[in-house]
Amino acid sequence: MSQPAVWILIEQNDGVIADVSWELMGKGRELADDLGGEVAGILVGHNIKDQAKEAFYYGADKVYVIDDPTLEYYRTQAYAHAISDIAKKHKPEIFLMAATSLGRDLSGAIATPLGAGLTADCTVLEIDPETKLLHQTRPAFGGNIMATIYCQIARPQMASVRPRLLPIPERDEKRTGTVIEEKTSLQETDIKTRRVEFIPDEGATVNIEDAECVVAGGRGIGNADNLKVIEELANALGGTVGCSRPLVDAGILPHAHQVGMSGHTIRPKLYIGAGISGAIHHVVGMEGADLTIVINKDPDAALLRVADYGVVGNLFDIVPAITKEIKARKGA
Amino acid sequence: MRLVVCLKQVPDASEVKIDPIKGTMVRAGVPSIANPYDMHALEEALRLKDKYGARVSILTMGPPQATDVIKRAVSLGADDGVLLSDRAFAGSDTLATSYILAQAIRKMGEEEAIDVVFCGKMAIDGDTAQVGPGIGSRLDCAVTTYVVGVRSLDKDKKTVVVERRLERGVEVVEADMPVLLTVNKEANDIRYAALPALIESIKYEVPVWTAEDVQLDLAQCGLKGSPTQVKKIFPPPQKDIETVMVTDTISDPAQIAKLLVDKIEEAGMLA
């Protein structure tokens, strides 16, 4: 057999490659080096071929491109068919994709025809030094339990990986590799779904995942009026308002602001959490923050344990005091 | 029209913990519930039934007591259901589960053709969201995930138009039937059962199918049919951080704010 290949799905939406693809490319490079193998990017879409070189800059040795009008936008059947065909042909050892809407949908649809073992939403991936098997660690039961999964026999070993947990490797324009063009055998008439339209979210300006500063409120906020103490601090810092799930469930903030397991994973330079107890569902979404400040009236609140600086007290006293101090210094 | 809803009984995930000493999962005393996402899928099916007329059938895989969730669905308006129950199914991962469910759906379809299969987006115990697309692949039908609403359904053209929730917006998709839809929680609010229907549903005798009834290849079921294995389970790691408890030394909010803003400024976030 040729050297083991680690495949990375290069996720694109309307021709724009998602950053998570390069996060995975970095991990793929690491796993391939541990196995003494190669990394290949899988790039699927229409008029997309020119972007293959980007994958080399981030560490790929090869890129398989399937460029076809039927693949212009994501459709489960069209993508799963095209990609599982080339996976059957080239037999990768490992195949990773992002645990995004697209990646989780596609991974489930591909694993079935391949008969592959698939682990969803992994947070840690490593090669066992003795067995050379991929160990895949993921939260289950709403994050109350972590499980490490492996796959003895079936190949590829497939996993979807949570975005924004891994660093993006340095982009090196001197790197190159081989582009391999493949084809899909499906015609438009074979495909059973069609996009009618795409309605982008209003207020798509809220992109909490890219925010450098997030000020988040939770159940302790109480009601929509009280949210303004959070908003004022976020404004003073030029940051974004975040929240834990109870505020979304109560209709106080839309889902775009939710941090955590069923919301967004953030990696800001500064995270301030007020009135959030710190259920693991929230913590998994924010633990990548560089500087974490937590304010809670309950000294036993779990979120205080992941804080760099913890304050036990009434958020309605503390948060406005911070806002005032920031305004005073900025004004000075 | 025939609609099938895959409905899973799950432990209430928020109550499940790891025994810190034994390292095993503590499930004793944890209540079983119908997977919330699947209940929203059921509601979406019942709405189609109300609007267009349909037979709604439930499919559940699990131990004998999982008939509870089928009875609950019947109390809400489902017409019938089947429990798939066999020791051979124990330990099935998502690949084996999708095989078993797809075969059972095929068998259900022999009696009356199926137009839409509904699944929840994911189950709250495994959190994988893999089984729905897996069933769709096996049935070789149209698949549309993360559905937040059915816009329209054309019985003659055999198409359905649905809205899907994606990271940055809503995609509207037309799919040929038969189609498999996975449904998000925000799709709808689940109805309540009327008391007479609730009483009536208790009497409903749920048919039980075994591996033999569905003519399953046992090599593809349970642990044998599951390529993934669990190496270990453990409690979520606590981040190893020295938390400075500001309020251990200062109590005045203005002084606390000064110290915190010093740190924010040092981190370069005040520029």
Side-chain angles (χ1 to χ4, degrees):
Chain A
M1 212 183 110
S2 56
Q3 55 177 344
V6 178
W7 278 18
I8 305 295
L9 179 80
I10 302 173
E11 178 170 331
Q12 58 89 11
N13 296 288
D14 299 319
V16 180
I17 293 176
D19 281 346
V20 64
S21 311
W22 310 137
E23 297 167 23
L24 297 188
M25 196 63 78
K27 179 48 98 176
R29 183 74 262 166
E30 203 182 296
L31 298 175
D33 291 346
D34 286 348
L35 288 173
E38 61 175 26
V39 189
I42 308 303
L43 182 58
V44 177
H46 187 43
N47 296 328
I48 194 88
K49 203 173 78 185
D50 293 347
Q51 300 201 47
K53 61 180 184 301
E54 280 294 320
F56 303 131
Y57 300 162
Y58 288 103
D61 301 308
K62 279 182 185 166
V63 176
Y64 294 95
V65 179
I66 315 175
D67 198 312
D68 194 271
T70 59
L71 301 167
E72 184 177 356
Y73 55 89
Y74 178 71
R75 290 185 282 186
T76 309
Q77 181 200 2
Y79 274 54
H81 184 93
I83 298 172
S84 54
D85 272 0
I86 66 164
K88 279 177 193 162
K89 186 166 143 193
H90 299 287
K91 300 186 173 36
E93 178 73 8
I94 292 174
F95 193 177
L96 307 180
M97 43 196 90
T100 50
S101 301
L102 187 157
R104 291 182 73 168
D105 177 319
L106 180 63
S107 58
I110 289 182
T112 312
L114 296 180
L118 167 61
T119 308
D121 203 21
C122 297
T123 54
V124 179
L125 293 172
E126 52 206 356
I127 300 290
D128 182 277
E130 279 170 32
T131 61
K132 298 290 177 194
L133 294 173
L134 180 66
H135 281 191
Q136 312 157 47
T137 299
R138 68 179 300 262
F141 289 92
N144 285 320
I145 287 176
M146 302 296 290
T148 301
I149 313 281
Y150 70 108
C151 179
Q152 192 88 45
I153 297 159
R155 291 294 177 270
Q157 303 167 80
M158 287 184 67
S160 64
V161 184
R162 186 171 296 180
R164 307 190 69 77
L165 287 181
L166 302 165
I168 294 180
E170 210 168 302
R171 187 172 180 277
D172 178 359
E173 289 195 22
K174 290 196 287 291
R175 286 194 92 263
T176 56
T178 320
V179 175
I180 299 151
E181 290 190 52
E182 296 279 355
K183 289 200 165 20
T184 176
S185 59
L186 282 192
Q187 309 286 318
E188 183 58 42
T189 47
D190 300 325
I191 301 170
K192 295 160 184 158
T193 61
R194 296 157 293 278
R195 179 187 272 183
V196 177
E197 59 174 321
F198 184 78
I199 309 162
D201 285 337
E202 285 204 31
T205 46
V206 183
N207 187 0
I208 197 162
E209 298 196 346
D210 295 333
E212 293 212 326
C213 166
V214 171
V215 183
R219 202 187 293 273
I221 295 296
N223 60 51
D225 285 345
N226 289 342
L227 189 66
K228 67 175 184 292
V229 301
I230 300 293
E231 289 167 342
E232 282 165 4
L233 178 54
N235 287 340
L237 282 164
T240 302
V241 173
C243 65
S244 58
R245 185 156 164 181
L247 294 198
V248 176
D249 286 347
I252 293 173
L253 277 169
H255 181 258
H257 295 267
Q258 188 187 326
V259 174
M261 191 107 179
S262 50
H264 302 270
T265 304
I266 59 172
R267 292 178 75 109
K269 288 186 179 152
L270 170 63
Y271 166 95
I272 302 178
I276 297 177
S277 62
I280 186 73
H281 315 67
H282 182 72
V283 174
V284 295
M286 52 63 68
E287 60 193 347
D290 292 338
L291 174 62
T292 300
I293 295 174
V294 170
I295 299 134
N296 204 294
K297 66 175 194 285
D298 175 6
D300 296 324
L303 199 62
L304 284 166
R305 292 202 294 271
V306 299
D308 297 298
Y309 294 91
V311 175
V312 178
N314 184 339
L315 76 95
F316 298 105
D317 296 332
I318 309 292
V319 175
I322 303 172
T323 309
K324 194 176 158 196
E325 179 67 22
I326 289 168
K327 283 184 175 165
R329 289 195 201 187
K330 279 193 165 175
Chain B
M1 203 162 60
R2 177 100 184 275
L3 313 176
V4 168
V5 182
C6 298
L7 181 56
K8 186 180 186 185
Q9 190 182 49
V10 294
D12 187 347
S14 58
E15 310 264 327
V16 176
K17 296 268 157 20
I18 294 265
D19 181 320
I21 295 151
K22 288 189 229 151
T24 52
M25 205 154 64
V26 183
R27 285 177 79 153
V30 175
S32 287
I33 57 171
N35 177 41
Y37 289 93
D38 299 348
M39 290 303 287
H40 290 280
L42 169 64
E43 177 62 36
E44 213 51 39
L46 293 174
R47 288 181 183 197
L48 290 188
K49 176 183 173 176
D50 293 345
K51 201 166 169 187
Y52 301 98
R55 171 181 169 198
V56 175
S57 304
I58 307 300
L59 177 61
T60 297
M61 177 169 114
Q65 64 270 26
T67 50
D68 288 356
V69 297
I70 297 178
K71 291 183 177 191
R72 177 151 176 232
V74 167
S75 79
L76 294 171
D79 296 279
D80 49 54
V82 178
L83 175 69
L84 277 168
S85 197
D86 198 307
R87 281 174 184 277
F89 302 156
S92 293
D93 73 358
T94 56
L95 189 77
T97 301
S98 70
Y99 167 69
I100 298 165
L101 292 177
Q103 291 300 103
I105 291 166
R106 282 208 175 92
K107 184 177 162 74
M108 292 170 94
E110 286 169 10
E111 181 206 355
E112 183 184 346
I114 296 161
D115 299 285
V116 187
V117 177
F118 284 93
C119 297
K121 169 189 159 187
M122 61 184 194
I124 60 164
D125 52 352
D127 297 327
T128 73
Q130 288 168 188
V131 172
I135 297 172
S137 272
R138 290 182 186 274
L139 296 176
D140 196 24
C141 65
V143 175
T144 303
T145 48
Y146 319 119
V147 169
V148 291
V150 176
R151 266 199 188 174
S152 61
L153 185 150
D154 190 323
K155 276 180 162 177
D156 301 323
K157 273 172 60 196
K158 291 223 149 239
T159 57
V160 58
V161 177
V162 300
E163 297 178 357
R164 321 173 56 214
R165 159 76 13 213
L166 300 177
E167 279 89 351
R168 302 201 191 285
V170 170
E171 185 184 42
V172 183
V173 174
E174 181 188 55
D176 299 335
M177 296 196 286
V179 60
L180 181 141
L181 306 177
T182 80
V183 177
N184 281 18
K185 280 183 175 176
E186 60 264 42
N188 52 49
D189 294 316
I190 298 162
R191 65 190 61 193
Y192 293 95
L195 192 57
L198 200 59
I199 294 165
E200 197 61 31
S201 72
I202 297 167
K203 288 186 268 176
Y204 177 65
E205 287 203 25
V206 179
V208 179
W209 288 354
T210 62
E212 202 185 330
D213 293 325
V214 193
Q215 295 183 330
L216 291 169
D217 169 13
L218 291 180
Q220 296 188 59
C221 300
L223 284 174
K224 261 191 254 169
S226 298
T228 60
Q229 285 156 286
V230 178
K231 179 94 183 165
K232 58 174 176 178
I233 57 171
F234 53 100
Q238 299 284 349
K239 207 172 165 187
D240 193 17
I241 267 196
E242 285 281 319
T243 302
V244 177
M245 289 304 289
V246 179
T247 29
D248 287 351
T249 50
I250 327 175
S251 57
D252 172 40
Q255 292 302 315
I256 293 169
K258 275 204 168 62
L259 183 143
L260 293 178
V261 178
D262 282 347
K263 300 301 166 193
I264 292 169
E265 196 160 20
E266 282 166 25
M269 296 303 291
L270 224 55

